[in-house]
Amino acid sequence: MMNKITNSFLVFDMGDKITSSDEAYACTTTKNEIGPVGRSILSVQKVDSEGDEVVRYGENVRFVTNPYIFSKPLYLMSTQITPQTYASSQGTKGLLKSKPVYNTVWRIIPIEGNASPLIGQPVQANSMLIIEHCATREFLANDLINYGNDFGVEFEVSAKKYTVRQKA
């Protein structure tokens, strides 16, 4: 997955275990075009098993790591780091968690928003879209806030709403 605003790719670091959470690992972005490697491949898993296997706009999904990166599936989630601490970008922190709890549920929304006629239509590969965290209604995002790890300097992932503030 790529963030078109920051031109960075979603990746994870299995060596960076988050100790303040129940078995969770760091999720970051990188500007390096690393291609399809173990730490950049996620699958989309529908939460509701009703209907067909096609992922559609507006449906609840989970993003799951590939089976070769770790001994069990890990799910992309958003959470506060501690009750008083959020991500540096002031959103909730993006992590990988070992349990498919509600904080791992996301909704895929067309770039035009929830009023789009695309709601209910199949999501096409390489489409620009919004990924909304169901529990907080914040968007999967990243800023260019440095996050040092075994791969060098990457960037923090969060869930946050970005709005334009204008005078009325």
Side-chain angles (χ1 to χ4, degrees), residues 4-137:
K4 292 296 282 183
I5 303 296
T6 61
N7 290 317
S8 55
F9 299 90
L10 186 68
V11 292
F12 20 96
D13 181 2
M14 304 316 302
D16 192 354
K17 187 171 184 177
I18 307 301
T19 56
S20 64
S21 183
D22 174 45
E23 192 170 15
Y25 300 88
C27 188
T28 58
T29 62
T30 180
K31 284 190 171 273
N32 300 328
E33 292 189 32
I34 60 172
V37 297
R39 74 187 203 104
S40 70
I41 298 173
L42 291 169
S43 63
V44 181
Q45 183 181 81
K46 289 174 69 165
V47 173
D48 301 320
S49 58
E50 299 172 8
D52 57 23
E53 294 182 11
V54 176
V55 176
R56 299 174 188 283
Y57 287 108
E59 289 185 319
N60 291 349
V61 297
R62 286 189 174 97
F63 295 95
V64 187
T65 57
N66 75 78
Y68 304 105
I69 192 75
F70 198 62
S71 60
K72 58 186 159 188
L74 297 171
Y75 304 90
L76 181 64
M77 74 172 288
S78 176
T79 188
Q80 285 179 255
I81 299 172
T82 70
Q84 293 82 27
T85 308
Y86 289 85
S88 297
S89 58
Q90 297 305 306
T92 56
K93 183 142 180 82
L95 305 170
L96 293 170
K97 186 161 181 82
S98 62
K99 296 178 185 169
V101 297
Y102 190 62
N103 271 352
T104 64
V105 179
W106 302 82
R107 184 174 297 117
I108 299 174
I109 300 172
I111 197 74
E112 300 85 15
N114 281 314
S116 171
L118 291 175
I119 295 293
Q121 297 298 314
V123 176
Q124 301 295 314
N126 299 318
S127 298
M128 289 185 63
L129 48 83
I130 298 168
I131 300 172
E132 180 184 58
H133 188 242
C134 289
T136 62
R137 301 190 53 89

